[in-house]
């Protein structure tokens, strides 16, 4: 029987946790378990030029220079970024420690066009892991209505259902940055997969984990970078009390990769999800319509629990492979 290797587009705004998700994917590609079709960078944690530069440097570090990288579609309104968590370069202020890449931001294709072209070339075959504000996906759907239905699956890191938000009291960052875009994506099909903050808040990556990876490959530049990025992310997580004082940081975005390759580590519920796009205090809030008992009209699967020890076992073993 032919083994099906997942073909993936990663839509990302690096971002420390985005970089861990990307490194995990690079490891899976190197193990012959995944195909990275493209990276589509987005605005979010930092500005478009920085997310493009960070993705370029990480792909270069991982030796995947032939993978296309798209540049972010502009968000139509001003918002607050998360450079205070991820560093002004989105990579823990470590960009100068990595070799330059040859890619040009100015001449790169826009991310929405990369998504459209890839989905038209391989309808039904590509999984999109979206770990940034959903501007690129929404722009692709607006430009080419129905295009997101051509993805095999769309997996979002986003939303906060039964817990407080992380950028406002009620909203999670990826949704709050561009709520209208999140609504377009949720309207695009009936099987959007969402891993929300409620679950990713239990995924704390620790210094000890970085140390285990480094011990497996003491000379590896990637392992050294992982340890340095982990230290930076822990310092800002402690400053902003993201982990209630635990010495670790929340590796939110890696949850999407964990779901795809270790699906047994998650539990799910079916739901009708809507996005608050108007509220003065609640803009970007994700809401479940619990009246829909029969689940008619549901648009999403929402992760409700993660088996963190097994999730981290998969992540650490794969990162050791790099
Ligand atoms: C999300 O917000 C960003 O800061 C992270 O990279 C992640 O995608 C978590 O709310
Ligand atoms: Ca992100």
């Amino acid at each position: 029987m032919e083994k099906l290797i997942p073909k993936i587009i990663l839509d990302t705004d690096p971002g420390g946790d985005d970089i861990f998700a990307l490194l995990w994917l690079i490891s899976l590609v190197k193990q012959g378990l995944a195909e990275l079709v493209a990276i589509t960078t987005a605005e979010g944690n930092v500005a478009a030029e920085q997310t493009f530069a960070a993705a370029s440097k990480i792909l270069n570090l991982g030796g995947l220079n032939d993978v296309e990288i798209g540049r972010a579609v502009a968000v139509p309104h001003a918002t607050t970024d998360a450079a205070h968590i991820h560093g002004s370069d989105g990579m823990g202020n470590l960009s100068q420690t990595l070799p330059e890449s040859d890619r040009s931001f100015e001449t790169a294709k826009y991310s929405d066009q990369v998504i459209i072209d890839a989905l038209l070339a391989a309808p039904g075959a590509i999984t999109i892991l979206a770990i940034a504000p959903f501007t690129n996906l929404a722009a692709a759907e607006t430009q080419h209505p129905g295009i997101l239905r051509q993805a095999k699956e769309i997996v979002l890191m986003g939303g906060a259902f039964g817990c407080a938000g992380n950028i406002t009291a009620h909203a999670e960052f990826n949704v709050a940055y561009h709520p209208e875009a999140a609504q377009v994506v949720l309207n695009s099909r009936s099987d959007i997969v969402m891993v929300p903050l409620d679950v990713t808040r239990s995924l704390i990556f620790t210094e000890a984990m970085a140390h285990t990876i480094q011990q497996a490959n003491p000379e590896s530049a990637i392992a050294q970078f992982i340890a340095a990025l982990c230290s930076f992310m822990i310092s800002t997580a402690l400053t902003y009390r993201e982990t209630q004082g635990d010495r670790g940081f929340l590796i939110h975005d890696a949850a999407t990769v964990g779901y795809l390759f270790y699906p047994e580590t998650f539990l799910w519920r079916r739901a009708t999800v809507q996005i608050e796009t108007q509220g003065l205090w609640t803009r970007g809030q994700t809401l479940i319509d619990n009246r829909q008992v029969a689940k008619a009209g549901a648009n999403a699967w929402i992760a409700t629990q993660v088996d963190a020890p097994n999730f981290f076992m998969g992540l650490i073993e794969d990162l050791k492979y790099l």
Side-chain angles (χ1 to χ4, degrees):
M1 199 174 74
E2 198 196 337
K3 207 168 118 200
L4 277 183
I5 293 176
K7 295 177 189 295
I8 296 163
I9 292 178
L10 185 70
D11 188 76
T12 175
D13 61 337
D17 57 328
D18 299 73
I19 291 174
F20 274 81
L22 176 52
L23 288 171
W24 196 354
L25 276 180
I26 292 172
S27 162
L28 291 158
V29 170
K30 287 186 168 172
Q31 294 177 65
L33 299 171
E35 181 186 333
L36 192 52
V37 174
I39 302 233
T40 50
T41 56
E43 273 184 34
N45 285 322
V46 288
E49 288 88 336
Q50 275 77 45
T51 61
F52 182 88
S56 302
K57 284 200 167 185
I58 299 297
L59 273 191
N60 191 29
L61 182 69
L64 295 189
N65 277 316
D66 50 346
V67 173
E68 179 166 28
I69 304 182
R71 62 181 278 187
V73 172
V75 175
H77 50 259
T79 41
T80 312
D81 69 15
H84 59 292
I85 301 285
H86 301 273
S88 56
D89 58 0
M91 44 196 321
N93 297 331
L94 293 165
S95 53
Q96 75 290 347
T97 67
L98 297 183
E100 287 303 328
S101 110
D102 295 337
R103 308 215 188 215
S104 154
F105 174 76
E106 279 70 29
T107 59
K109 217 195 258 183
Y110 277 92
S111 290
D112 56 344
Q113 198 59 52
V114 173
I115 291 169
I116 291 169
D117 292 348
L119 294 180
L120 288 177
I126 295 173
T127 297
I128 301 179
L129 302 184
I131 58 175
F134 307 109
T135 314
N136 295 330
L137 273 66
E141 183 67 16
T142 305
Q143 199 195 132
H144 199 301
I147 192 68
L148 294 182
R149 276 203 301 279
Q150 298 299 326
K152 180 173 184 201
E153 192 168 37
I154 297 183
V155 186
L156 314 180
M157 188 282 129
F161 293 94
C163 66
N166 60 353
I167 189 73
T168 67
H170 301 288
E172 180 278 329
F173 181 82
N174 288 340
V175 176
Y177 197 91
H178 193 174
E180 294 78 8
Q183 188 67 69
V184 169
V185 174
L186 276 154
N187 288 347
S188 71
R189 49 195 284 165
S190 58
D191 59 353
I192 297 288
V193 176
M194 292 183 84
V195 191
L197 266 190
D198 312 58
V199 163
T200 62
R201 277 215 168 101
S202 59
L203 295 176
I204 301 176
F205 190 91
T206 64
E207 231 155 31
M209 294 176 186
H211 189 61
T212 307
I213 293 161
Q214 209 176 4
Q215 268 183 330
N217 289 299
E219 304 306 324
S220 148
I222 299 186
Q224 283 164 21
F225 175 77
I226 285 174
L229 182 58
C230 177
S231 295
F232 179 91
M233 292 300 290
I234 289 177
S235 68
T236 58
L238 288 174
T239 304
Y240 293 97
R241 294 206 57 78
E242 290 212 308
T243 58
Q244 275 66 49
D246 284 358
R247 282 200 64 79
F249 73 95
L250 299 176
I251 196 156
H252 308 283
D253 291 338
T256 59
V257 182
Y259 155 65
L260 203 59
F261 292 90
Y262 300 93
E264 71 284 1
T265 56
F266 287 86
L267 291 180
W268 302 90
R269 68 164 290 192
R270 189 95 178 102
T272 303
V273 176
Q274 272 141 8
I275 310 292
E276 174 58 66
T277 57
Q278 302 294 322
L280 175 60
W281 304 105
T282 53
R283 185 168 150 81
Q285 187 174 12
T286 42
L287 300 157
I288 293 178
D289 185 347
N290 278 315
R291 293 169 308 173
Q292 303 217 350
V293 179
K295 309 296 185 204
N299 57 0
W301 291 95
I302 303 171
T304 55
Q305 276 184 54
V306 59
D307 170 356
N310 276 313
F311 172 92
F312 280 117
M313 204 182 301
L315 170 63
I316 290 164
E317 286 312 306
D318 284 329
L319 290 181
K320 279 184 191 168
Y321 192 91
L322 281 168

